[in-house]
Amino acid sequence: MSSHTPAPRTPAALATLTLAALGVVYGDIGTSPLYALKEVFHAGHVPASDENILGVLSLIFWTMTIIVSLKYVLLILRADNNGEGGLIAMLALATTAVKDRPLLRRILMVVGLFGTAIFYGDGVITPAVSVLSAVEGLEVAAPALHSLVIPITLVVLTGLFAVQRFGTGGIGKFFGPITLIWFFALIALGLPHIVENPAVLVALNPLYAIGFFVQQPLVAFIALGAVVLCVTGGEALYADMGHFGRLPIRIAWYGLVMPALVVNYFGQGAVLLGNPEAIDNPFFLMAPHWARLPLVFLSTAATVIASQALISAAFSVTKQAIQLGILPRMTIRHTSVKDTGQIYVPFVNWGLYVFIVLAVALFKSSSNLASAYGIAVTLDMTITTVMTFYVIRYGWGYPLALCLLATGFFFTIDITFFFSNLLKLIAGGWFPLVIGSGMFMLMLTWKQGRQIMREQVRNDAIKLEGFLDAVFINPPTRVPGTAVFLVSEEDLVPNALMHNLKHNKVLHEHNLFVTVRHHEVPWIGFDKRLSLHSLGHDCWQVTVNFGFKNDPDLPEAIKLLKDRGVPLDDMDTSYFLSRETVVPTRGAGMAMWREKLFASMHRNATDMADFLNLPTNRIVELGAKVEI
């Protein structure tokens, strides 16, 4: 359990966290009954015969049981990085576990980066398919409103992205209760049809899923591409562990979410057994006529909440990626004074919005969008399983046979789902892959560019201690106050110091040479925030440490130095930054177009001063060119 999410001590606290987890963690998987079963039969590859309906229901039940109940809720929730979950946390755990194997570590880093990049592709498809499938209920409730489905969907999505800058603190408290109503509605819709046709419950027997595969292997394999839609959102269980802890997530899943989903899917199955024509929209056709329009409003609210959870996750992943050095600095705004996890990233918000609008305009229906859905999800699931193997084998030291057996079982299932979804590549699966591949190229270019730049700066730099010894043989004029020089590597002379001595010919009375380090752990407490090394002559080398979920605040961090004998007066402290201009050059390094791309990303990155929360009226910036 993480330090910032204490274990709930009372039943009331546990109930509150469990309710909150419903709204954030289970919105995506909870709205999948809107389209998952429909899509299995909708494309026409799987005939809606009684045997196929029962075989598909059995597949859905056992897919949820194996992938969510066993893999995520039981196994992967144990792989926390100081209480935090998600692919970036898993990547940090896996790369740390194999740190003495440099080649393997590099391979895992690239695979993890690709998984993180693919998440953005998923982030585009999820809100589009969820909201569109909910609004399509209008066609069932009032067929004359067919032409309004896409405009209403775009209005709902535009409103959702427009309110992000205000934060979700005000409306977030309604997410859990609305999602709770949604899950009870799923039960209320499905239960009467199961009571009417209880024969549908035989599909709980895994032999029906196995028999479906044995009798019609090709049809069953094609069906898997849509069956996987019932577990989209499984990653959110793991990613949101830091907000709620394991226990509330597990209680919500076993206590309400899975039972509600099973009842609803089997209710839809019972409807189809009695009336195969209901395949056009079995979810809304389960409801009596009078309830269909209210159900459209409720399902739209539920899908907006599901989309909100994914948008918030995109902001959170972006912030973590920036601090791990795999994306350039961006403007990050905090939307809550109480909850540091509530952030808004304008560039990501409007980038997602543009691609989501494009997806809705391009695919026009939830069925077409469902064709694009699945590849990104199954790829992320497979990558998570691979990472898990390295964590439990090398990090936890479990026996090789046990690790291979556990992860090999899940890997076989994940990779089967992935290959089934590859059949949808031409029909739309290319869309999230293009977005994910674009993000992957940006991440890789940024990471490699920074590495090359660091090496270039290191090659051209002078050792700090030797330089200071030389300077103090014939010391320059000392002026009152404290100068804080930011330097990328310890023991190197910052460009800003060289320029200051060269042009101003002065040195401050006290000088701090500060290197900021971001680590592959979520949180670093104040007790380990900084290390200090005296260089003599009232100069100190300071290393400041942040985890990838900490908010970098340099002035706040260096206040801790007052207790260590370093004189600091806020009004008398100046921050000296070296602003490097990247100049792409031919030769070693990256391809010319990637160097130009890196130079553009570097130029457009948010100011280091903003990122580290430096006071704007006490910053001195001195420029330098770096050829890569």
Side-chain angles (χ1 to χ4, degrees):
M1 196 71 69
S2 67
S3 56
H4 61 295
T5 307
R9 292 166 190 268
T10 64
L14 183 58
T16 303
L17 270 178
T18 305
L19 181 63
L22 272 182
V24 176
V25 178
Y26 292 112
D28 188 0
I29 200 167
T31 51
S32 54
L34 282 163
Y35 48 82
L37 188 63
K38 176 181 81 168
E39 292 314 320
V40 176
F41 299 101
H42 206 263
H45 302 301
V46 184
S49 66
D50 287 4
E51 297 79 18
N52 288 356
I53 290 166
L54 292 173
V56 167
L57 282 177
S58 191
L59 272 179
I60 285 176
F61 175 76
W62 287 101
T63 296
M64 287 197 295
T65 301
I66 291 168
I67 290 183
V68 184
S69 295
L70 296 181
K71 178 182 163 184
Y72 279 102
V73 178
L74 278 187
L75 175 66
I76 289 181
L77 280 188
R78 294 187 61 217
D80 66 307
N81 189 345
N82 291 354
E84 290 297 324
L87 198 54
I88 285 188
M90 180 70 88
L91 172 61
L93 280 174
T95 51
T96 304
V98 297
K99 61 178 179 289
D100 52 344
R101 295 171 167 82
L103 178 62
L104 181 57
R105 190 179 190 278
R106 274 201 301 275
I107 292 169
L108 284 181
M109 181 61 82
V110 170
V111 170
L113 279 188
F114 188 67
T116 306
I118 283 292
F119 165 80
Y120 289 94
D122 189 21
V124 167
I125 298 292
T126 298
V129 74
S130 302
V131 176
L132 193 50
S133 63
V135 178
E136 279 173 353
L138 279 175
E139 296 177 316
V140 178
L145 298 177
H146 167 76
S147 59
L148 294 178
V149 168
I150 288 179
I152 290 172
T153 300
L154 292 176
V155 167
V156 169
L157 288 168
T158 303
L160 175 63
F161 281 90
V163 299
Q164 292 304 310
R165 63 198 175 97
F166 301 113
T168 57
I171 55 169
K173 57 179 177 283
F174 298 112
F175 286 3
I178 291 171
T179 313
L180 184 67
I181 294 167
W182 170 252
F183 282 115
F184 281 124
L186 292 185
I187 295 169
L189 285 169
L191 203 54
H193 297 285
I194 295 173
V195 170
E196 201 177 293
N197 192 353
V200 75
L201 293 174
V202 297
L204 292 170
N205 186 335
L207 292 176
Y208 278 84
I210 295 164
F212 185 35
F213 257 97
V214 170
Q215 289 160 19
Q216 306 178 73
L218 185 60
V219 172
F221 181 68
I222 292 169
L224 285 181
V227 167
V228 78
L229 297 173
C230 76
V231 290
T232 56
E235 285 281 332
L237 284 171
Y238 181 43
D240 288 312
M241 178 165 54
H243 291 293
F244 305 104
R246 291 190 198 97
L247 190 58
I249 289 175
R250 284 175 172 160
I251 289 172
W253 174 253
Y254 293 122
L256 177 62
V257 179
M258 184 162 180
L261 292 174
V262 170
V263 167
N264 195 269
Y265 282 123
F266 276 68
Q268 290 186 45
V271 168
L272 293 178
L273 286 174
N275 175 22
E277 283 76 45
I279 198 56
D280 284 345
N281 205 323
F283 179 83
F284 284 101
L285 289 169
M286 272 197 298
H289 280 283
W290 62 266
R292 285 175 187 168
L293 205 55
L295 187 59
V296 171
F297 292 120
L298 178 61
S299 54
T300 302
T303 54
V304 163
I305 290 168
S307 304
Q308 176 60 61
L310 204 133
I311 295 164
S312 299
F315 294 159
S316 180
V317 165
T318 302
K319 182 189 171 197
Q320 293 173 29
I322 290 167
Q323 291 183 208
L324 283 176
I326 52 182
L327 278 176
R329 293 183 303 275
M330 298 179 202
T331 301
I332 296 174
R333 294 189 194 136
H334 287 268
T335 57
S336 167
V337 290
K338 288 186 287 187
D339 182 2
T340 57
Q342 284 198 21
I343 56 173
Y344 169 61
V345 186
F347 182 81
V348 172
N349 187 63
W350 295 112
L352 277 178
Y353 173 72
V354 166
F355 280 107
I356 287 169
V357 169
L358 190 62
V360 172
L362 202 63
F363 292 97
K364 294 186 173 63
S365 77
S366 63
S367 289
N368 293 342
L369 270 165
S371 316
Y373 208 11
I375 290 186
V377 177
T378 49
L379 203 51
D380 259 357
M381 286 178 175
T382 309
I383 289 170
T384 300
T385 304
V386 171
M387 295 280 178
T388 305
F389 169 79
Y390 289 100
V391 173
I392 64 176
R393 173 70 185 121
Y394 298 106
W396 300 353
Y398 281 18
L400 179 61
L402 179 65
C403 297
L404 284 172
L405 194 67
T407 54
F409 171 68
F410 293 122
F411 179 79
T412 306
I413 290 168
D414 291 337
I415 206 76
T416 306
F417 274 114
F418 173 65
F419 282 128
S420 172
N421 274 278
L422 279 181
L423 298 173
K424 303 194 287 190
L425 190 64
I426 308 298
W430 56 270
F431 187 72
L433 280 183
V434 166
I435 295 168
S437 301
M439 282 301 299
F440 179 61
M441 180 49 64
L442 290 176
M443 287 175 167
L444 213 53
T445 299
W446 181 253
K447 190 166 177 57
Q448 288 180 342
R450 282 182 80 237
Q451 185 65 36
I452 293 166
M453 195 169 150
R454 262 200 306 270
E455 286 167 9
Q456 196 63 44
V457 167
R458 204 181 295 120
N459 292 341
D460 296 343
I462 304 164
K463 290 287 183 186
L464 182 60
E465 290 205 44
F467 178 78
L468 289 177
D469 288 343
V471 164
F472 285 110
I473 292 170
N474 184 17
T477 305
R478 305 292 289 262
V479 293
T482 302
V484 177
F485 292 95
L486 265 79
V487 57
S488 58
E489 301 280 337
E490 289 105 337
D491 201 31
L492 296 183
V493 177
N495 278 322
L497 173 64
M498 304 274 276
H499 287 303
N500 193 39
L501 285 170
K502 182 178 173 184
H503 298 296
N504 300 328
K505 298 178 176 55
V506 295
L507 195 63
H508 280 70
E509 193 178 353
H510 307 106
N511 296 277
L512 301 178
F513 300 97
V514 176
T515 301
V516 176
R517 289 256 169 272
H518 293 283
H519 297 269
E520 292 180 355
V521 293
W523 307 92
I524 290 178
F526 283 114
D527 55 328
K528 296 175 183 169
R529 177 70 78 228
L530 43 81
S531 59
L532 180 69
H533 168 58
S534 175
L535 302 168
H537 313 287
D538 286 325
C539 297
W540 294 269
Q541 171 71 60
V542 182
T543 304
V544 181
N545 303 296
F546 294 111
F548 59 73
K549 293 205 79 169
N550 284 124
D551 289 318
D553 189 328
L554 190 59
E556 192 67 32
I558 63 173
K559 279 180 187 173
L560 300 170
L561 292 171
K562 288 180 181 176
D563 301 332
R564 304 201 191 180
V566 178
L568 279 171
D569 178 353
D570 281 355
M571 298 312 295
D572 221 10
T573 301
S574 302
Y575 295 86
F576 287 81
L577 308 183
S578 305
R579 179 178 279 276
E580 288 106 350
T581 303
V582 176
V583 181
T585 54
R586 296 196 182 278
M590 299 183 289
M592 194 62 177
W593 68 270
R594 288 185 68 202
E595 289 190 0
K596 287 180 177 175
L597 174 62
F598 174 72
S600 172
M601 290 166 81
H602 189 272
R603 187 169 58 250
N604 291 302
T606 302
D607 215 33
M608 177 65 86
D610 290 340
F611 184 67
L612 293 176
N613 200 31
L614 303 183
T616 48
N617 58 344
R618 294 202 299 280
I619 296 169
V620 180
E621 283 194 315
L622 298 159
K625 286 188 176 181
V626 180
E627 292 187 353
I628 61 166

